[in-house]
Amino acid sequence: MQLNGPDAESGNRSASLTAWDYAGAAPEVLVVLARTEMASAVPLHSLDAQEMGRYWSYLQAADRQRHLLAHGLKRLVLGAMLDCEPAALRFGIGAAGKPWLEPGTLQFNLSHSGNWVAMAVCRGFEVGIDVEQVRSIDIRALTGLVNHSEDCVLPEAPLEQRFYAAWSMKEAVAKCTGQGLGMPFTGMRLTTAGSGHYRCQHDEACWEVAYRQLPGAHLALAAARDFRLRLLQPRNWSELPVLLEQALGVPPRWHSA
């Protein structure tokens, strides 16, 4: 499954609009994947008062960048899909801490790690997304907190990739359910479903998960049904409305300058 064509393997970044099509008429999930370098172009006034307060609460500039980019993306993308002013969007928080859009016509999820920010959005069903930037951790010590004894994930790959693949896929599932890290990863069993997709089972429940390795990071998307995925990877903030127009078929009437 190609994330961004041949450039994804080489690490060269280029704008892309990639549709992953599978048999049947599975509904589409739109994913926007961005680098934090884009945050410098996101205007602070695109955030509401609560988001702004959270922005200023961060002590580290890198944390403020991730927050600004994630919530700027959230508002621009959802506003384009609903054809409404991004500043007019209102959000709530579920019992388990998962944010939702008022009214709930679209479901979305955000993730950020290191230099990456990812957003998933769709209609009619819950989604969870996770991006994990590779960092210096004791993988062998953490494997017992992540792996199920019957996981089947990239058996020929190095330990690091297997670990991050399992971690990102299980966290995407946990975020889809709204439970987050409160869901026991060792009770979640991953099996391959072909074409870069996996099945994740926990008790009687089952989710479909798409996984892809990025340059220096790992991306996973989960839903409790089959789906097809459309990815937007803008090179800069001003390019995002152009890619949204290509994806949605109409130009966004509102976007931050």
Side-chain angles (χ1 to χ4, degrees):
M1 180 165 52
Q2 291 286 325
L3 183 71
N4 189 25
D7 283 347
E9 296 296 334
S10 67
N12 297 327
R13 297 188 58 251
S14 61
S16 67
L17 173 60
T18 305
W20 293 330
D21 295 314
Y22 302 94
E28 184 174 86
V29 179
L30 182 71
V31 168
V32 180
L33 181 66
R35 301 275 293 185
T36 54
E37 298 94 304
M38 289 173 54
S40 61
V42 182
L44 274 173
H45 65 72
S46 64
L47 306 185
D48 68 13
Q50 184 177 18
E51 293 161 349
M52 186 78 77
R54 184 75 180 271
Y55 172 86
W56 287 115
S57 73
Y58 289 113
L59 299 179
Q60 301 297 322
D63 294 326
R64 292 196 294 270
Q65 282 188 317
R66 283 187 287 268
H67 178 83
L68 177 59
L69 181 56
H71 292 279
L73 280 177
K74 176 187 73 177
R75 289 188 172 275
L76 181 57
V77 173
L78 293 174
M81 294 185 73
L82 294 171
D83 192 28
C84 74
E85 170 61 56
L89 298 173
R90 296 294 179 264
F91 301 91
I93 301 293
K98 186 176 183 180
W100 53 277
L101 176 67
E102 302 176 353
T105 53
L106 294 173
Q107 285 71 43
F108 74 96
N109 200 224
L110 297 169
S111 180
H112 53 74
S113 178
N115 298 321
W116 297 92
V117 171
M119 176 184 181
V121 58
C122 66
R123 297 181 187 272
F125 57 97
E126 295 289 344
V127 291
I129 193 165
D130 187 54
V131 62
E132 296 291 342
Q133 182 163 299
V134 175
R135 50 197 183 273
S136 180
I137 57 176
D138 188 344
I139 290 175
R140 293 189 181 277
L142 293 173
T143 295
L145 301 177
V146 173
N147 289 358
H148 185 286
S149 61
E150 298 179 9
D151 277 344
C152 182
V153 178
L154 304 171
E156 303 302 320
L159 175 62
E160 179 181 270
Q161 185 179 1
R162 298 199 311 271
F163 171 81
Y164 276 105
W167 179 4
S168 60
M169 286 192 280
K170 292 183 181 186
E171 185 156 340
V173 169
K175 293 179 68 178
C176 179
T177 69
Q179 296 184 53
L181 295 177
M183 195 169 179
F185 285 10
T186 55
M188 303 160 69
R189 181 167 66 93
L190 291 165
T191 56
T192 184
S195 299
H197 275 216
Y198 288 78
R199 298 280 186 266
C200 181
Q201 292 180 284
H202 180 256
D203 295 333
E204 299 300 317
C206 184
W207 296 265
E208 179 163 340
V209 191
Y211 163 77
R212 187 66 171 95
Q213 185 176 17
L214 308 170
H218 300 260
L219 178 72
L221 176 72
R225 59 153 302 149
D226 60 332
F227 59 85
R228 54 194 176 93
L229 191 152
R230 176 170 287 191
L231 175 74
L232 307 182
Q233 190 171 356
R235 291 172 299 190
N236 52 61
W237 183 251
S238 62
E239 192 172 55
L240 181 55
V242 176
L243 296 183
L244 286 171
E245 179 178 356
Q246 294 176 25
L248 303 176
V250 293
R253 290 197 293 159
W254 292 278
H255 61 87
S256 301

